[in-house]
Amino acid sequence: MSIISTDIAKAIAILNNDDVVAIPTETVYGLAGNIYSEKAINRIFAVKKRPFFNPLIVHVHDVKEVDKLVTDFPEKARLLALTFWPGSLTLILPKKDSVPDLITAGKDSVAVRVPNHPVTLELLRRLDFPLAAPSANPFGSISPTKAIHVNDYFENDIGMVLEGGSCANGIESTIVGFESGEPIVYRLGSISLEELEAVVGPVSVMNKKENAPVAPGMLSRHYAPKTRTYLVDNVTAFIANHTDKKIGVITHDEHIETTERVTVIKLSSTADLKQAAAALYSSMHHLDTLDLDLIVAQRFPDTGMGRAINDRLERATKIAD
Ligand code: TXA
Ligand code: MG
C-alpha cells in the first residue's frame, strides 16, 4: 500500500504527535521530525539506521527563525543566507543551548537551512517548531528524489510521504561552515563553488581524505546503489573490457547504444550540468532495479555542478567496510 499523500493537515497531525513524515525539498526528500521531540528524533535515527554520531540538518521557513537557534551569524554567513535562501545551502553555525544535543550529535554547532519547496515551506509555517530532516533513505543508500523512492524504502516503517513531485535540484544542499568568519565547504552540493565564490570571494573545500569527517555525509561509502558501481573516464573502453557482464551506463557525452546487455542513460550534455545533477539519483535508482551485474558512470568535468556529481559518484563506487 502506498503511503504517499498530498494531505498537509495529516502531516501536521503526525508531526504534532511526535512522529515522523517524509517531506519534499528542492534537493532530495527528507525524513522529518520536531527538533524538540526526543521521540521523533530517535525515530528518525531508528528508521534510517543512522549512527547517532551523525548530526541532523534543521529546516526553518525564514532566516529570522535561525536567529532563535544560533549564538553567532558571521557576516559572510548572513550574506550567503540572504543570497541563497530559500535554497540549497546549509550553514553550520554555533548553537544555542536550547538546540537539543541529539540533533547536533553533541557538537556545539548546528546545521540550518531554509528549503525552497512550496509544500514544505507551508508545512514549516504552520508548525510551532523547526524540523530536523536527514535525507529519507537508509544510511548509505541513494537519496530519494521522488516520493515513490521513499515509499519503496520505508512503506513499512513510516506513516506518510508528503507528495511534492520530483526534486528540482536532485542533489543534496551544499554545506558551509566558518572558521574565523571564513567559509569552508564541508559537503559539495546543489549550490556550486563558483556560485558561492561570486558572493563571498574565495571559499576553501574540506579535504575529503581526512580521517575524521566534519560532516559524516563525507563518510566514504554513501549514496550507493546495491549494484556494484564504477566511475571511469571512458565508458566505451570499460564496456569492451567487460563483455560477459550486464551493464548499466550513466553517461553525459559518450555515444553508446543500448543493447540487450547494456542499458544506457544519457544524463545530459556537458553544457547542462544542473540538469544532469537533477537526474543523477533517479537514474541510479532505476538502474538498481534492473538486476544488472554492474553500473558504470562516466566522470563529469570538475566544474560547476560536475564537482558535486563526481563526489557522489566516487562515494557510490566505494566498497562497504
Ligand atoms: O539537501 C539536504 O541537505 C537534505 C534535505 C532533506 O534538506 N538533507 C540532507 O541531510 O542531506 P543528511 O542528514 O543526509 O546530511 C546532513 C549532513 C550530514 O553529513 C551531517 O554530518 C552534516 O550534514 N551535519 C549536520 N550537522 C552538522 C554539524 N553541526 N557540523 C557538521 N556537519 C553537520
Ligand atoms: Mg543523506
Side-chain angles (χ1 to χ4, degrees):
M1 208 193 68
S2 171
I3 54 168
I4 301 169
S5 162
T6 55
D7 189 346
I8 293 193
K10 182 179 166 189
I12 291 170
I14 295 174
L15 290 164
N16 279 330
N17 197 30
D18 295 311
D19 210 340
V20 301
V21 172
I23 58 166
T25 82
E26 81 286 16
T27 58
V28 300
Y29 276 74
L31 184 61
N34 174 358
I35 67 162
Y36 301 115
S37 165
E38 211 177 303
K39 189 175 160 214
I41 302 308
N42 278 322
R43 188 75 198 129
I44 291 175
F45 281 99
V47 168
K48 275 186 66 88
K49 299 192 168 61
R50 179 177 173 116
F52 280 104
F53 63 74
N54 198 350
L56 306 177
I57 297 176
V58 174
H59 297 67
V60 294
H61 61 85
D62 191 279
V63 62
K64 288 193 204 84
E65 297 297 309
V66 173
D67 289 317
K68 299 178 188 165
L69 303 171
V70 305
T71 57
D72 185 35
F73 208 144
E75 202 181 313
K76 287 192 176 178
R78 208 169 274 279
L79 198 54
L80 288 171
L82 284 173
T83 308
F84 294 110
W85 283 350
S88 311
L89 173 75
T90 294
L91 298 175
I92 309 285
L93 298 170
K95 83 175 190 78
K96 283 192 174 153
D97 289 343
S98 55
V99 177
D101 287 334
L102 198 52
I103 299 290
T104 64
K107 286 178 193 288
D108 50 17
S109 60
V110 61
V112 286
R113 87 176 186 102
V114 180
N116 188 18
H117 192 292
V119 171
T120 288
L121 283 174
E122 184 187 339
L123 177 68
L124 287 166
R125 273 192 293 267
R126 288 168 62 180
L127 292 167
D128 295 333
F129 43 81
L131 292 175
S135 52
N137 52 275
F139 187 66
S141 302
I142 311 165
S143 301
T145 55
K146 296 175 194 290
I148 189 73
H149 298 152
V150 185
N151 190 87
D152 291 351
Y153 281 140
F154 293 140
E155 64 181 325
N156 298 321
D157 306 299
I158 66 174
M160 178 177 173
V161 183
L162 185 56
E163 174 65 85
S166 293
C167 302
N169 295 349
I171 210 159
E172 292 82 355
S173 61
T174 301
I175 302 182
V176 179
F178 297 85
E179 224 161 77
S180 312
E182 291 306 315
I184 305 171
V185 169
Y186 288 168
R187 178 178 74 183
L188 295 162
S190 273
I191 308 276
S192 70
L193 208 53
E194 289 85 343
E195 287 172 291
L196 296 175
E197 292 189 331
V199 177
V200 289
V203 172
S204 53
V205 179
M206 194 71 178
N207 178 4
K208 280 192 253 176
K209 292 185 180 69
E210 234 136 89
N211 283 333
V214 178
M218 303 203 107
L219 286 172
S220 44
R221 183 175 163 91
H222 224 98
Y223 317 104
K226 291 193 278 295
T227 315
R228 183 87 181 86
T229 300
Y230 296 82
L231 176 62
V232 302
D233 292 311
N234 186 330
V235 173
T236 309
F238 182 94
I239 293 172
N241 287 331
H242 294 79
T243 49
D244 58 334
K245 297 279 191 272
K246 278 174 70 183
I247 302 175
V249 172
I250 295 175
T251 171
H252 54 93
D253 70 355
E254 275 186 75
H255 297 284
I256 299 161
E257 297 273 314
T258 288
T259 63
E260 204 191 323
R261 182 171 79 80
V262 180
T263 306
V264 181
I265 296 180
K266 191 160 179 177
L267 277 187
S268 116
S269 66
T270 319
D272 199 346
L273 294 172
K274 286 209 170 195
Q275 204 183 316
L280 177 69
Y281 289 157
S282 61
S283 307
M284 286 159 74
H285 278 286
H286 175 65
L287 291 176
D288 222 9
T289 64
L290 300 183
D291 206 18
L292 302 165
D293 297 316
L294 48 94
I295 294 172
V296 59
Q298 181 192 6
R299 189 180 297 281
F300 279 70
D302 244 328
T303 158
M305 210 40 57
R307 265 191 217 100
I309 296 175
N310 286 337
D311 172 81
R312 301 304 191 269
L313 287 171
E314 265 163 31
R315 291 173 204 286
T317 65
K318 296 281 180 345
I319 297 170
D321 296 329

